[in-house]
Amino acid sequence: MSSTSNHPIPSGLYGGRLTIDLDAISDNWAYLRGKLNGATECAAALKADAYGTGQEKAGQALFSAGCRTFFVAVPTEALALRQTLPDAVIYALDGLFPGTAEHFVEHRIRPVLGSFEEVVEWAEFCKVAGKSFEAAVHVDTGIHRLGLAPAEFSAAMNDPDLIGPFEPSLIMSHLACGSTPEHPMNDRQLKLFREITEPFPQFPKSLANSAGVLMGSDYHFDLVRPGISLYGGQAIETATNPMKPVAKVEARIMIVRDVPKGDTIGYGARHTAKRALKNAVVAAGYADGLLRRASASDEQSGGFGMIGGYKAPILGRISMDMITLDVTDVPEKLLQRGAFVEMLGPNVAATELAAYAETIDYEYLTSLGQRFERVYGPLT
Ligand SMILES: *Cc1c(COP(=O)(O)O)cnc(C)c1O
């Protein structure tokens, strides 16, 4: 919905604006790389449209900053990224979908082989082709999603019919509890990963997502795969977030109206005005990724927006296309029709909103704005 070919859509017609700061993404990448010793490569997770920030633009920015290895989820994302970055190393975390090896090879996409069957299929493809094509092997150290079970991993790695036709370009695993570093699962996964991969010192290894990078050098190995931290998110729940904010969502005021004391606001009539209120209705809703679970009611406060330094709490339910905000204490001059309210950004951290919505900032970022005007530039 960005623009029609000959007629760019005038800014004033958009209900909201999503601003993405690509320099902040690059700075965040450089910050994380600064945590590594020189031998460890800092890659980047670019899946889900670079966590909602735009795969193409974020990929170009990160490549310019020096990043050379990228992780996406599905093969279609990998194909799109190949168009953007002809020289990058691209891994597809979801691995090899059946019967598709030729497409991976054609576009130089490396599958992260996540099951014994996938390893067999890739090895057979390489054997028939008479050439070893690059792929990672994923070993499960406890998250029980993708990855060969430890015993399967050892069996595969020691089978000359499998490892021989191809040689893993990376051996990796994924942390289940990185967001809580004190969780004993982290140490357990680290030990198990070391133990199972030790017999194969010739292959590069990777364990860390963003949280793993921040947890320290024990977790770094040869390559790290941060995602959320690049996009300003909070990888570790209990620490202050060192990353720069990357995205700002603003929604336009359509109307400011009075709500008499005792009247209710929004669908379901779940939120009663405890005093006479002034209410601003803005043109963004859950269809724009402002999650409905951050709604407010008489029982529960919800999320909020910010206008010129003033906090404007959400009133009532978040609708598909609009949100009502309490602006009773906001000066009149900030409440012009058409003015923008920050709904997420430097002053409204996704992490903070996520607490109201009982989710994580990952969900906020990846849900954002197909309907907003998209602007790349500084957030101020
Ligand atoms: C998404 C993902 C990452 C990046 O995780 P963040 O928590 O966003 O840093 C790394 N590795 C794997 C396997 C992933 O699925």
Side-chain angles (χ1 to χ4, degrees), residues 44-45 47 51 71 73 93 112 138 145 172-175 207-212 225-231 235 362:
K47 57 197 180 181
Y51 293 50
F71 290 83
L93 289 163
V112 177
H138 190 166
R145 298 190 315 187
M172 58 165 267
S173 193
H174 191 48
L175 296 168
L207 179 61
N209 58 354
S210 300
R225 318 180 300 269
I228 192 72
S229 290
L230 300 174
Y231 311 106
Y362 293 66

Side-chain angles (χ1 to χ4, degrees), residues 195-353:
E195 196 180 296
I196 346 179
T197 61
E198 204 192 332
F200 313 103
Q202 68 273 41
F203 303 125
K205 296 172 187 66
S206 175
L207 179 61
N209 58 354
S210 300
V213 177
L214 299 172
M215 278 197 292
S217 56
D218 280 355
Y219 289 86
H220 293 172
F221 294 89
D222 300 297
L223 179 146
V224 297
R225 318 180 300 269
I228 192 72
S229 290
L230 300 174
Y231 311 106
Q234 181 154 2
I236 293 183
E237 284 167 8
T238 44
T240 50
N241 186 5
M243 313 316 296
K244 287 189 180 174
V246 160
K248 180 164 78 170
V249 170
E250 296 161 292
R252 196 184 291 286
I253 294 176
M254 296 183 284
I255 184 174
V256 177
R257 66 189 315 143
D258 294 317
V259 184
K261 181 179 175 187
D263 278 11
T264 59
I265 301 119
Y267 282 129
R270 297 280 308 281
H271 203 172
T272 316
K274 305 273 183 308
R275 54 174 175 153
L277 295 178
K278 202 160 42 162
N279 165 2
V281 185
V282 298
Y286 63 75
D288 302 290
L290 297 172
L291 305 176
R292 188 170 175 276
R293 289 191 302 282
S295 295
S297 69
D298 288 337
E299 289 78 41
Q300 211 174 341
S301 56
F304 60 93
M306 289 293 288
I307 319 173
Y310 291 86
K311 195 165 178 170
I314 289 174
L315 292 168
R317 283 205 183 133
I318 293 174
S319 307
M320 183 189 291
D321 313 304
M322 61 189 98
I323 296 176
T324 49
L325 298 168
D326 183 351
V327 293
T328 313
D329 302 322
V330 180
E332 200 78 44
K333 66 173 189 325
L334 296 172
L335 300 174
Q336 304 292 320
R337 199 173 131 239
F340 280 119
V341 181
E342 179 177 335
M343 299 303 294
L344 186 149
N347 304 299
V348 188
T351 322
E352 203 174 338
L353 285 185

Side-chain angles (χ1 to χ4, degrees), residues 186-198:
N186 292 306
D187 199 43
R188 221 182 300 150
Q189 287 191 273
L190 176 62
K191 287 208 174 91
L192 182 56
F193 187 63
R194 278 202 184 123
E195 196 180 296
I196 346 179
T197 61
E198 204 192 332

Side-chain angles (χ1 to χ4, degrees), residues 1-5 7-10 14 369-374:
M1 221 182 292
S2 53
S3 69
T4 53
S5 51
H7 302 283
I9 296 172
Y14 284 97
Q370 296 311 307
R371 220 166 30 173
F372 294 140
E373 179 180 23
R374 225 168 231 248

